[in-house]
Amino acid sequence: MGSYTEEPQFKTITVKEVHPTFAAEIEGVDWKNLSEEQFNEIFAALAKYGVVMFRNTGLDDASHVEFSRRIGDLDTMRRYMTNGRTPRYEFYELFDAGNIDDQGGVLDPNSPRAHYGKGNQLFHVDSSFNPRRASYSLLRAVELPPLGNGGNTDFADSRTAWDDLDPEFQNELLKQDYVVNHSIAQSRKQGSPEFFKDLDPTNGGQMSRHKLIQKHEASGRMNIYIAAHSHSIEGLPKEQSDALLKKLLDHVTQSKYVYSSEWRNVSDMVIWDNRCTLHRANGGAYEGKFRRDLRRTTVHDTSPTAWGLNKVITNTEEWVVNHNATAAAGNTQVSVKA
Ligand code: OGA
Ligand code: MN
């Protein structure tokens, strides 16, 4: 997707703002026969709002994947299909963000797989730990817990959070031009410290390197690219690095920058831009009780900073599956959520 720095005009869709600074719900999409014009309007809305929710899309696995392919190259599950693992879905492009166990029941919150997923409840961006980061994620509801049992997806507006920083602090960050190391092990450890007590993100695992402060190409606005996967800032002593990452994550995820999006119907779908927003699974009473089946496609970024400072490895099957074989046995598809 290109850039949309001008104020968008919407002719084929209705865009309803749901938060003072970002996020919208879009109505009027013809999912069965989506015109080029409508497609472009959706992505103009995404450039501006960062997160867009569509109700009752009627999409199924095949049409979800088909629509996603129209956006760009998709990440796939292929590299995780080692050691006899079999894909959960017909489409390798679908990532499981739900809580269904291998027998079709509700995942036990104390199971190893649940622990692997706990980092998902911390604010993050998808795939910052991969050599090539993700641009858009498209998450669709297949089965939802009864309303009132939690399970929202929360989003944070990291562009406005940047805008609101003290200009002196902004200048300092721009001058330092920090590079952050991202690791899936970092968010796992934060998400379930006891379970992952022996997991050390610095112990041979892959770190992916991305600039902390970046221009979001699609909107021309500046963004703080930070996530629960952010392990360390290069060149800073650990204490300083930890403190600055915490300060910025705390800043970005203040409630005034957060929108909590409620899932209401099967086939609701939300698209977010990982390059200008963070998100998390909110959790809730449904955990351990009700099935929540959400499936995600993930689009490879094509912006100038897609690869950050990482070595370009275009065959994603060669990407390292980080810390896949750590303490917990029974990990099936869980390494791939965030
Ligand atoms: C994801 C994710 C959050 C949720 O699919 O990338 O973080 O609410 N999901 O399930
Ligand atoms: Mn995620």
Side-chain angles (χ1 to χ4, degrees):
M1 299 296 104
S3 77
Y4 299 90
T5 45
E6 279 166 28
E7 190 58 29
Q9 304 290 320
F10 302 114
K11 298 204 185 87
T12 74
I13 51 174
T14 307
V15 178
K16 202 175 81 195
E17 298 183 359
V18 293
H19 180 276
T21 65
F22 78 134
E25 289 200 13
I26 294 186
E27 285 168 17
V29 177
D30 180 0
W31 290 104
K32 290 227 150 62
N33 189 13
L34 211 151
S35 69
E36 200 57 27
E37 185 183 16
Q38 189 155 70
F39 186 83
N40 287 333
E41 288 191 3
I42 290 171
F43 284 89
L46 263 164
K48 178 167 179 185
Y49 294 102
V51 180
V52 298
M53 167 64 96
F54 307 88
R55 300 289 173 193
N56 284 309
T57 61
L59 294 172
D60 59 12
D61 284 356
S63 48
H64 176 179
V65 170
E66 190 190 332
F67 173 74
S68 306
R69 283 187 184 139
R70 196 165 156 179
I71 307 169
D73 288 343
L74 304 181
D75 198 2
T76 81
M77 291 286 300
R78 269 181 234 285
R79 66 185 172 283
Y80 301 99
M81 295 299 116
T82 54
N83 300 332
R85 286 182 196 161
T86 49
R88 171 150 297 189
Y89 314 114
E90 183 189 345
F91 297 92
Y92 279 101
E93 291 87 349
L94 288 173
F95 288 67
D96 177 14
N99 69 344
I100 318 265
D101 69 19
D102 290 342
Q103 287 71 45
V106 178
L107 187 68
D108 175 353
N110 297 313
S111 63
R113 214 187 111 191
H115 285 286
Y116 273 86
K118 290 213 162 99
N120 230 31
Q121 297 192 1
L122 305 174
F123 273 107
H124 64 280
V125 299
D126 292 333
S127 307
S128 65
F129 47 82
N130 285 335
R132 185 184 185 182
R133 67 178 183 171
S135 54
Y136 304 101
S137 294
L138 298 86
L139 188 64
R140 175 179 56 98
V142 176
E143 186 176 350
L144 291 170
L147 275 177
N149 286 280
N152 282 14
T153 304
D154 296 346
F155 296 92
D157 180 2
S158 45
R159 286 178 298 182
T160 301
W162 164 262
D163 293 345
D164 289 352
L165 286 179
D166 180 327
E168 261 178 52
F169 187 33
Q170 284 183 337
N171 284 335
E172 176 63 15
L173 290 172
L174 290 172
K175 197 177 100 199
Q176 297 295 343
D177 201 17
Y178 289 121
V179 173
V180 176
N181 293 306
H182 295 255
S183 162
I184 183 75
Q186 175 69 11
S187 51
R188 284 195 180 144
K189 224 175 153 60
Q190 306 295 315
S192 192
E194 186 50 33
F195 188 81
F196 289 113
K197 62 180 185 312
D198 297 327
L199 178 60
D200 177 0
T202 64
N203 186 18
Q206 181 186 290
M207 291 280 182
S208 185
R209 304 166 67 218
H210 289 278
K211 292 274 175 81
L212 174 62
I213 309 300
Q214 305 191 16
K215 183 179 273 186
H216 175 242
E217 190 196 25
S219 64
R221 293 177 63 192
M222 296 305 288
N223 181 53
I224 307 173
Y225 190 66
I226 195 168
H229 313 306
S230 301
H231 169 268
S232 49
I233 300 176
E234 287 185 11
L236 288 186
K238 181 168 169 22
E239 263 170 43
Q240 249 176 286
S241 162
D242 288 354
L244 183 50
L245 287 175
K246 179 173 184 328
K247 177 177 172 172
L248 287 172
L249 254 181
D250 286 351
H251 171 67
V252 168
T253 58
Q254 289 177 80
S255 58
K256 64 181 169 184
Y257 301 128
V258 171
Y259 174 65
S260 187
S261 185
E262 186 178 66
W263 295 94
R264 296 199 193 122
N265 330 284
V266 165
S267 93
D268 283 357
M269 183 169 78
V270 64
I271 309 182
W272 63 84
D273 186 338
N274 291 292
R275 302 162 303 181
C276 66
T277 61
L278 289 76
H279 64 279
R280 70 170 176 196
N282 187 296
Y286 77 92
E287 289 175 271
K289 275 222 276 265
F290 296 109
R291 288 153 57 111
R292 177 179 185 266
D293 184 352
L294 296 184
R295 302 178 190 179
R296 190 191 83 207
T297 52
T298 318
V299 185
H300 288 309
D301 189 15
T302 51
S303 80
T305 49
W307 292 89
L309 289 86
N310 304 307
K311 189 166 161 235
V312 174
I313 307 168
T314 49
N315 179 358
T316 56
E317 282 169 58
E318 288 169 19
W319 287 0
V320 176
V321 180
N322 207 2
H323 298 289
N324 219 9
T326 49
N331 171 23
T332 53
Q333 296 213 351
V334 290
S335 53
V336 297
K337 276 193 186 175

